[in-house]
């Protein structure tokens, strides 16, 4: 039996939408990852498939820049690299501007992913990056304090206890 065109197209999407970034992380190809990151792509998340629960015409597959399309499945890149213990990929992501505190609401933060899987080198890289991020952000004055406050709220919601501790140590206010 031949699949209807829509289902066939969706099946093809499952294989072709997998981000090159995500594939490079899965295979621990840090040089390829660094090359792809220099194209100016988003360093925080990647498309990994199609969400069949959301009915969207295939013509709308291209989301606006920096806005995850609801019909595409996204995964946070840094937590994925940390979970697998791919320290060179973690380093490449951080050097390319990945936010060490970025974590979608349904994902484990990068630091927790590294610690939960015993990836000590990755955890150390992320801890250092969070501390540097806090220092740089605080130097921006009031705008920086508001940004740290937002990151603190996100870390609390994601149950990133260690990230919360680093943010509090950096003087992020728990009350605002």
């Amino acid at each position: 039996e031949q699949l209807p065109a829509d289902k066939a197209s969706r099946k093809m999407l499952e294989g072709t939408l997998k981000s090159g970034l995500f594939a490079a992380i899965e295979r621990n190809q840090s040089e390829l990852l660094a090359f792809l990151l220099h194209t100016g792509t988003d360093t925080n998340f990647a498309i990994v498939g199609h969400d069949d629960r959301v009915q969207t015409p295939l013509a709308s597959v291209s989301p606006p820049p920096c806005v995850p399309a609801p019909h595409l499945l996204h995964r946070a890149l840094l937590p994925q690299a940390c979970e697998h213990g791919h320290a060179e990929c973690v380093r490449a992501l951080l050097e390319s501007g990945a936010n060490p505190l970025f974590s979608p609401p349904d994902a484990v933060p990068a630091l927790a992913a590294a610690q939960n899987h015993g990836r000590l080198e990755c955890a150390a890289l992320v801890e250092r990056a969070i501390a540097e991020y806090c220092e740089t952000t605080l130097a921006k004055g009031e705008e920086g304090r508001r940004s740290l406050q937002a990151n603190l709220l996100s870390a609390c919601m994601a149950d990133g206890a260690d990230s919360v501790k680093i943010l509090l140590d950096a003087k992020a206010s728990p009350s605002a």
Side-chain angles (χ1 to χ4, degrees), residues 109-168:
L111 184 56
Q115 292 171 335
N116 292 348
H117 291 88
R119 312 301 191 179
L120 301 179
E121 184 178 2
C122 293
L125 288 168
V126 174
E127 283 178 347
R128 196 168 329 141
I130 292 172
E132 289 171 5
Y133 174 84
C134 290
E135 185 177 316
T136 303
T137 304
L138 276 176
K140 296 177 183 175
E142 185 58 33
E143 178 186 334
R145 282 191 287 284
R146 282 194 306 267
S147 178
L148 282 185
Q149 181 66 32
N151 280 299
L152 180 61
L153 176 62
S154 294
C156 288
M157 292 174 65
D159 198 24
D162 290 322
S163 297
V164 168
K165 182 183 180 327
I166 293 169
L167 285 161
L168 290 173

Side-chain angles (χ1 to χ4, degrees), residues 2 10-11 16 23 46 56 58 65 84 86 88 97 99 105 112 116 131 133 149:
Q2 192 174 22
R10 288 184 188 271
K11 183 123 175 103
T16 58
T56 308
L58 291 176
H84 290 295
H86 298 163
E88 290 305 315
N99 181 342
N116 292 348
Y133 174 84
Q149 181 66 32

Side-chain angles (χ1 to χ4, degrees), residues 63-75:
C66 300
V67 178
H71 63 287
L72 299 177
L73 296 175
H74 295 80
R75 294 281 304 267

Side-chain angles (χ1 to χ4, degrees), residues 5 19 40-41 49 60 62 72 90 120 146 150 164 174 176:
S19 165
T41 188
S60 67
S62 296
L72 299 177
V90 169
L120 301 179
R146 282 194 306 267
V164 168

Side-chain angles (χ1 to χ4, degrees), residues 85-109:
H86 298 163
E88 290 305 315
C89 290
V90 169
R91 191 173 281 111
L93 285 162
L94 292 170
E95 288 173 356
S96 294
N99 181 342
L101 293 165
F102 174 80
S103 179
D106 60 344
V108 175

